[in-house]
Amino acid sequence: MLRNIPGCNSLLRCYSSTNTIARMSFVNGNVKFRRFNASQASYNGVQEPRGIPSPLAGIKIVDLTRVLAGPTATMLLADLGADVIKIEHVGKGDDTRSWYPPSAPLLPQSSSESLPERAHSLPPESAYFLSANRNKRSVTINFKDPAGLKIIYRLIEQADILVENYIPGKLAKLGLGWEKCHKINPRLIYASITGYGQTGPYRQHAGYDVIVEGEAGLMHITGEPYPAKPVKVGVAATDVATGLYAHGAIMAALIGRERTGKGCWIDCNLFETQIAGLANIASSYLIAGQEAQRFGTAHPSVVPYQVFPCKASEGQDGDDFIMIGAGNDNQFNTLCNLVLPLPSLPSDPRFSTNALRVANRNELIKILEIELRKETKAHWLTKFKAATKAGKGVPHGPINNIKETFEHEQAVARKVTVEVDHPRAGPIKLVAPAVSYNGEKMPVKRHPPWLGEHSDEVLAELGYSTTQVEELRARGVI
């Protein structure tokens, strides 16, 4: 049952496959539903605006995270309108600032004369840092210095959320643990992102994506079958997933605070995130005691369902590749008759059902590979597209490189990139937020900041005078 949420007059919109939008509103504890047509985007005859107001406008976040998991979480919150103040190490900043090349080319100093002198002496803006820090403000503070710690305390007094990714206990020793921060601001939501959590024998271990991939099962199931070596995922997927979990947990804690008026301590970590991410693989072990294996791109229970090599395009070294997933007998029949010139395979007693195809996997894959190598990826994609138009689709897709990914017609149509002006690098392209609201993505209002870009601004908001700021800078506090 939906109950009254004190102080909440929220609006939720749910989309269905019938293109009808259900509008659910909480007004003084009463739940009301109304429907309108999404294609018309109107409600009671009034044209609906595209996009939504920033839902986290007015929420202030003290961001003590570095690298990827934590910055991903705070970037997603910043996208929703939160004022994220990224606290960085004086002089060097977030570790990823030094992870270059590649980096954004710097503008000539004459083109950025409006910047303070300290901005010109900084290294280039690394592509890694730029990927996870849009819509934030950067302040450099040495909070091991009492004067720096005092600045952090002032920020905490005004903040709604603090996010950190230090080894458990380290911030407490510096006077910034949960207990101290909660005492300063009882409404504060304090989110800790660690490798293994706040308790248990591994609590003091640092968290590294690739280590947790191995330790929490992901690497065991990634790569070609034994005796080939396990391999890591090509991007720090566990870090990104942990950032997503932390972002969701913080949003839930904000809703909870509306009910209770109190903050809470969120304990989010890479290890448990990755175990949760094992999904059906974990369930197969827990329910049936079934140990997982590596299958490369193949599926243990469906054949054909894997990547296949194709003839290389003209002027290209090596093979092209295509992913094919014929998940049932009808799709296999379509594959063999409308895409490949192999009409006898569906009636072959070795391959007539999925169970038989699984049992005779190696024989079937060899036949398909021989045929697919005769033509290029582009040729086969045309054949698949024709089958789809005829109402006989088979799940498939090219294995695109990164250039092809961003040039994909769907990526272009969905505007997956956004260009922003950076004061040190000029126009730069970033990946845009992945979610649209009423047909619009949340805007990127701030470029990823250069190191300490907003120190003066934020300290002025806290009541520090220009003279005090300069004194703190001279002492190395900021």
Side-chain angles (χ1 to χ4, degrees):
M1 174 181 288
L2 293 168
R3 298 184 182 277
N4 182 26
I5 303 175
C8 181
N9 291 294
S10 61
L11 182 68
L12 303 176
R13 308 178 70 189
C14 304
Y15 291 76
S16 75
S17 59
T18 59
N19 210 33
T20 296
I21 299 177
R23 170 178 287 225
M24 179 175 71
S25 57
F26 294 91
V27 181
N28 298 323
N30 298 313
V31 182
K32 296 184 178 180
F33 291 90
R34 294 189 182 179
R35 298 179 181 176
F36 64 98
N37 187 277
S39 62
Q40 296 174 347
S42 63
Y43 176 60
N44 284 353
V46 179
Q47 191 73 16
E48 284 287 315
R50 292 174 67 81
I52 59 171
S54 298
L56 296 186
I59 298 295
K60 182 169 288 188
I61 299 176
V62 177
D63 182 3
L64 295 174
T65 69
R66 303 140 294 161
V67 189
L68 188 55
T72 295
T74 54
M75 179 176 69
L76 295 174
L77 297 166
D79 288 345
L80 296 174
D83 178 14
V84 175
I85 301 172
K86 184 177 179 71
I87 309 301
E88 300 193 65
H89 187 282
V90 176
K92 68 177 186 179
D94 188 309
D95 295 354
T96 61
R97 287 190 181 275
S98 65
W99 292 3
Y100 62 88
S103 60
L106 293 177
L107 293 171
Q109 187 165 337
S110 59
S111 300
S112 53
E113 291 179 348
S114 61
L115 294 177
E117 183 60 35
R118 66 181 186 279
H120 297 301
S121 62
L122 295 172
E125 303 292 332
S126 80
Y128 200 121
F129 177 86
L130 295 172
S131 74
N133 289 285
R134 63 178 180 250
N135 282 329
K136 303 178 185 179
R137 297 197 283 173
S138 171
V139 178
T140 53
I141 301 176
N142 175 13
F143 52 81
K144 293 181 180 179
D145 185 294
L149 186 61
K150 183 178 179 181
I151 298 170
I152 300 292
Y153 285 162
R154 286 198 188 182
L155 286 170
I156 290 170
E157 287 174 357
Q158 300 178 5
D160 297 278
I161 301 159
L162 182 149
V163 190
E164 60 91 8
N165 64 347
Y166 286 76
I167 291 174
K170 184 166 185 179
L171 283 184
K173 292 178 181 178
L174 296 173
L176 287 170
W178 154 249
E179 290 81 4
K180 177 66 175 180
C181 293
H182 180 64
K183 186 176 181 180
I184 294 171
N185 181 356
R187 288 178 54 83
L188 183 73
I189 294 163
Y190 187 106
S192 296
I193 302 173
T194 60
Y196 298 88
Q198 298 293 318
T199 60
Y202 275 54
R203 63 183 296 272
Q204 291 294 314
H205 288 216
Y208 296 94
D209 177 278
V210 69
I211 304 300
V212 173
E213 279 190 39
E215 204 158 17
L218 181 59
M219 205 178 291
H220 173 72
I221 58 174
T222 306
E224 294 301 316
Y226 182 85
K229 293 180 180 179
V231 299
K232 72 180 183 69
V233 178
V235 70
T238 305
D239 272 344
V240 173
T242 304
L244 288 165
Y245 263 106
H247 155 256
I250 290 167
M251 294 293 285
L254 279 171
I255 295 172
R257 191 179 70 176
E258 290 300 307
R259 294 173 172 170
T260 66
K262 298 178 181 179
C264 72
W265 187 9
I266 294 169
D267 178 1
C268 187
N269 63 85
L270 274 66
F271 187 65
E272 288 176 83
T273 292
Q274 183 48 65
I275 291 174
L278 293 175
N280 61 297
I281 301 296
S283 187
S284 294
Y285 174 77
L286 295 173
I287 301 302
Q290 179 179 310
E291 183 54 80
Q293 302 177 50
R294 289 189 297 282
F295 284 89
T297 60
H299 194 287
S301 306
V302 181
V303 176
Y305 199 101
Q306 65 182 73
V307 167
F308 290 91
C310 308
K311 180 181 177 181
S313 302
E314 187 175 347
Q316 176 179 312
D317 294 329
D319 293 323
D320 254 336
F321 297 91
I322 191 168
M323 177 72 196
I324 300 172
N328 56 50
D329 293 342
N330 287 337
Q331 290 176 351
F332 182 63
N333 186 67
T334 298
L335 174 66
C336 296
N337 283 277
L338 296 185
V339 180
L340 304 174
L342 299 170
S344 65
L345 285 189
S347 59
D348 189 309
R350 297 170 297 171
F351 313 130
S352 59
T353 68
N354 181 67
L356 289 169
R357 293 192 291 275
V358 171
N360 297 289
R361 178 193 300 266
N362 292 339
E363 296 170 75
L364 177 57
I365 296 306
K366 184 176 180 180
I367 294 169
L368 298 179
E369 283 190 350
I370 290 172
E371 194 60 41
L372 285 161
R373 280 186 181 276
K374 293 179 181 179
E375 298 291 350
T376 64
K377 176 175 70 174
H379 170 87
W380 294 122
L381 290 174
T382 300
K383 298 285 284 185
F384 276 110
K385 188 174 183 179
T388 300
K389 283 187 175 181
K392 297 283 187 179
V394 178
H396 69 282
I399 306 303
N400 287 334
N401 61 27
I402 306 306
K403 180 176 185 292
E404 291 168 327
T405 296
F406 283 106
E407 292 176 350
H408 194 294
E409 59 183 341
Q410 183 68 8
V412 173
R414 295 290 296 179
K415 299 179 181 178
V416 301
T417 63
V418 60
E419 186 172 281
V420 299
D421 286 322
H422 193 285
R424 299 187 68 231
I428 59 173
K429 283 187 176 180
L430 303 174
V431 176
V435 178
S436 295
Y437 302 84
N438 291 343
E440 290 287 337
K441 297 175 184 285
M442 300 303 296
V444 178
K445 296 179 179 179
R446 293 183 181 273
H447 57 268
W450 52 266
L451 181 61
E453 179 176 353
H454 304 96
S455 294
D456 292 31
E457 175 181 295
V458 171
L459 265 66
E461 292 170 1
L462 294 175
Y464 287 85
S465 67
T466 301
T467 300
Q468 289 173 315
V469 169
E470 290 306 317
E471 288 175 351
L472 290 168
R473 182 169 286 119
R475 291 166 45 195
V477 176
I478 64 170

